[in-house]
Amino acid sequence: MHQPARWGLGAAGAGIAMIVVLELTSFGEMNPLRRTISEHGLGPDGWIFGLAVGLLATGSAAIGVSLARKRLAGIFGTIALMGWSVGLFMTAWFEKNDWAVGPSLHGSIHRAGSFIAFLSLPLAAVIIARPWRHRERSRATLVAFGLGICSVLWVVGIATVMVIGARQGLPWWRAMPLGLVERGMAVTEVAALLALGVWAAARQLETAAKVAQEDQR
């Protein structure tokens, strides 16, 4: 594959931009505190949301391939990052439950994909970018590792609130401002992914420069 990290960053960036546009255009119609991002998939622009998430998943997979080819990710890091991509593809292909109608199989698959994605990316960022694994540290790896830790804290915090809510008899989706929490976690995890992509692309450019210098000698 030709420059997979750079292609991956482009695809992921396009998907993120499309989701941001959906968020801005529906700001007056959808409560971001309670409504999740996947609500966009239920409206007339649902195909745009599916395409956006699909692009993000494709870009993530390309970044994972680049990191694996550069031997920067390791087996477990690659599996975790691909788990994120697979989870995103599941959420893109299967729309969430429309609770005005009731639960459905595709809604259950969508939820499973969301859980897989949101749990896999923090693991991938921490495993791949952990500073003690690499001799050469860059700003991108440190940012990715820091965001990975923040993503883990998001997951732990959400799980804690869910447990506390269950003890008080609250459904987990009412124990917190679900839309706001999901958006905060999504922003953190996507930023970690982009940091990994920047690192992979930078390493490719650095390798190419070294090869060119050796050829000139």
Side-chain angles (χ1 to χ4, degrees):
M1 296 180 66
H2 179 63
Q3 296 179 332
R6 301 181 72 184
W7 287 110
L9 284 171
I16 294 167
M18 293 170 68
I19 294 174
V20 170
V21 170
L22 287 176
E23 287 278 278
L24 294 176
T25 55
S26 63
F27 188 76
E29 303 173 1
M30 189 172 69
N31 183 0
L33 297 178
R34 288 292 177 184
R35 298 295 183 178
T36 62
I37 303 173
S38 297
E39 293 281 344
H40 294 297
L42 299 177
D45 298 327
W47 67 273
I48 300 177
F49 175 77
L51 176 60
V53 178
L55 284 171
L56 178 58
T58 302
S60 301
I63 291 171
V65 168
S66 178
L67 290 168
R69 289 182 60 187
K70 291 291 182 180
R71 297 182 180 180
L72 299 174
I75 295 176
F76 295 109
T78 301
I79 292 174
L81 192 53
M82 291 306 168
W84 156 265
S85 297
V86 170
L88 289 179
F89 277 121
M90 292 170 64
T91 61
W93 188 262
F94 299 95
E95 65 181 26
K96 71 169 295 179
N97 284 318
D98 184 352
W99 293 109
V101 178
S104 61
L105 177 60
H106 59 77
S108 299
I109 297 175
H110 175 93
R111 179 180 295 179
S114 299
F115 280 126
I116 292 171
F118 281 127
L119 292 176
S120 296
L121 196 280
L123 292 176
V126 172
I127 292 173
I128 295 173
R130 60 190 191 274
W132 57 89
R133 182 176 183 270
H134 307 284
R135 294 181 180 178
E136 299 179 4
R137 299 181 184 180
S138 68
R139 183 176 300 176
T141 57
L142 295 177
V143 169
F145 180 76
L147 291 170
I149 294 295
C150 291
S151 300
V152 172
L153 294 177
W154 271 113
V155 173
V156 172
I158 292 171
T160 302
V161 172
M162 290 173 63
V163 171
I164 295 174
R167 291 179 177 177
Q168 296 178 353
L170 289 175
W172 65 270
W173 60 89
R174 293 190 179 278
M176 68 191 89
L178 185 59
L180 180 62
V181 170
E182 184 197 53
R183 284 169 173 79
M185 182 167 60
V187 168
T188 306
E189 296 196 359
V190 168
L193 168 75
L194 295 178
L196 290 175
V198 169
W199 179 42
R203 282 296 295 265
Q204 286 182 333
L205 294 175
E206 179 182 330
T207 301
K210 289 182 179 179
V211 171
Q213 289 178 357
E214 291 178 356
D215 291 341
Q216 292 177 357
R217 294 175 184 176

